[in-house]
Amino acid sequence: MVYNFAAGPSVLPKEVLLKAQDELLDYAGSGMSVMELTHRGSEFSSILSKAEATLRELMSIPDHYKVLFLQGGASTQFTMIPLNLAVGKKAYYIESGSFGKKAYTEAVKLSKVIDFEPISLGSTEKTKFDRLVKAVGKKENPHDECAYEINEIDPDAAYVHITLNNTIEGTAIYDLPDAHGVPLVGDMSSDILAVDYDVSKFALIYAGAQKNIGPAGVTVVIIREDFLPKKEILSSMLDYRVLSENDSLYNTPPTFGIYMAGLVFDWVKAQGGVKALEAKNRKKAALLYDFIDQSEFYQSPVKNKAERSICNVPFTTGDQSFDQAFIAFADEKGFKNIKGHRSVGGMRASIYNAFPYEGVLELVELMKTFEKEHTKHE
Ligand SMILES: *Cc1c(COP(=O)(O)O)cnc(C)c1O
C-alpha cells in the first residue's frame, strides 16, 4: 500500500484511473484512444463540452463567466492576467506565499514593457510566509509589511490578486479579503474543488490541474466576460478573448488532460460535490492538526490556526536530522513524497480531494511510532 502525499502532480482517484485504463485503447466504441482523437472531431468536442458543463455545475459558475482549458500551467497566468486585464491601470498583489510573490514578480517584469502599475499590498516573506497579509482599517505601525489599509486600494484598479491556498507554506484564505470594491483575481491552483468558494466574487480564477483536477498540462481559467480584453493583445495564444471565442480550441488543447479532468469532475460529483468534499477535507486536516497540536514532538510552522490550509499540512520536529529520519522512515513504509518544499524544510502532507481519510489516520499512527522511537534528549 502506498500513500502519495505529493504536492503536485498528486494523487488521483483510483476510480478515475481505472476508468481511463478501461477506455484507453477504445474510447466509447470509436476504436481509438482519446490520445488519438482529433480535437476537431465530435468525440473530443463532447468530452470538452461535458467537462465544462460538469465544472460549471460543481462550482456554480454563472453564465456570464467563460471557462477555458489552457496550457502553460498556473505560472503562465502570472503574465496573462496583467497583460489582459491591467493595461493602463494599477494592479494589486498580496504576497502571502511563494506563488503570490512569483505572480507579483512576473507582473513587475511585464510592467517594464507594458504600461500598467503592479503594486504589492504586503508581504509576509520576512517570516517565511508563515501567515497571511491582513486587511486592516488603520495600520498600527505604518511600516508593517504584513498588513494593508483597505483605503490604500484605488477603487479604479484592475484587480487585487490573491492566492487562495499557499501550497508550499500551508496557509489558506477561507474568508475573502476586503478589496475596497476592486475585483479579485484568485490563484486557486491547490484548493479548487476542495474548498467551496463563491465564483461570483471573482473577476478571474485560475488553477493548474495537477493538484485537485487531473494530470499536469491543463490550466483552468474562469473569467467574467466583461473582463475579456476589448482590443487585440500581444499574442493570440495569450489573449483570453481569442481563446474564449474559440472555446479553448484556438490551437490544439491538451486533449488527454481535459478528458482526465472531465473524469475527475464526474468523480467529484459522485462524491456529493464540492461542499461534501470540503467537509471531508476538513475532517482529514483536523485529524492531523489535532494530533500535531497535542504533541510536544511535532509542530506546525503556520502562525495562526485560522489560516491553516486543509490541503497542504506542513509540520516539523524542530530538528533537521529528525525530519530527515522521519522522511526516510515514512518513505520506507510507503508514505511517499512527504518531504516539505525546499524553502520551508520539514515535512508536508498534501491531502487533496483524492487523498483518503484512512491515509491520514495511518500517517498519525506512523508519527506516533516515530515519536516513541525518537524522543528528544534534553
Ligand atoms: C502549483 C502552483 C502554481 C504553479 O503551477 P504550475 O502549473 O506549475 O505553473 C501556482 N500557484 C499555486 C498556488 C500552486 O499551487
Side-chain angles (χ1 to χ4, degrees), residues 111-186:
S111 71
K112 307 259 198 293
V113 289
I114 299 277
D115 169 40
F116 78 104
E117 189 189 348
I119 299 165
S120 174
L121 282 173
S123 166
T124 52
E125 187 172 16
K126 275 203 179 129
T127 52
K128 294 189 171 169
F129 299 118
D130 67 342
R131 69 199 77 184
L132 299 175
V133 173
K134 270 194 311 235
V136 292
K138 183 95 195 123
K139 273 193 202 178
E140 284 165 30
N141 166 4
H143 302 295
D144 183 3
E145 288 172 13
C146 303
Y148 66 90
E149 287 182 15
I150 293 151
N151 287 328
E152 272 178 64
I153 300 178
D154 176 351
D156 293 328
Y159 57 79
V160 175
H161 179 282
I162 58 174
T163 314
L164 279 310
N165 185 81
N166 294 295
T167 323
I168 293 175
E169 296 84 6
T171 56
I173 298 175
Y174 296 109
D175 300 315
L176 300 180
D178 190 333
H180 212 202
V182 173
L184 292 173
V185 165

Side-chain angles (χ1 to χ4, degrees), residues 72-75 78 99 163 165 167 187 189-190 208 210-211:
S75 302
F78 298 161
F99 285 117
T163 314
N165 185 81
T167 323
D187 180 352
S189 292
S190 48
Q210 65 273 24
K211 281 110 186 190

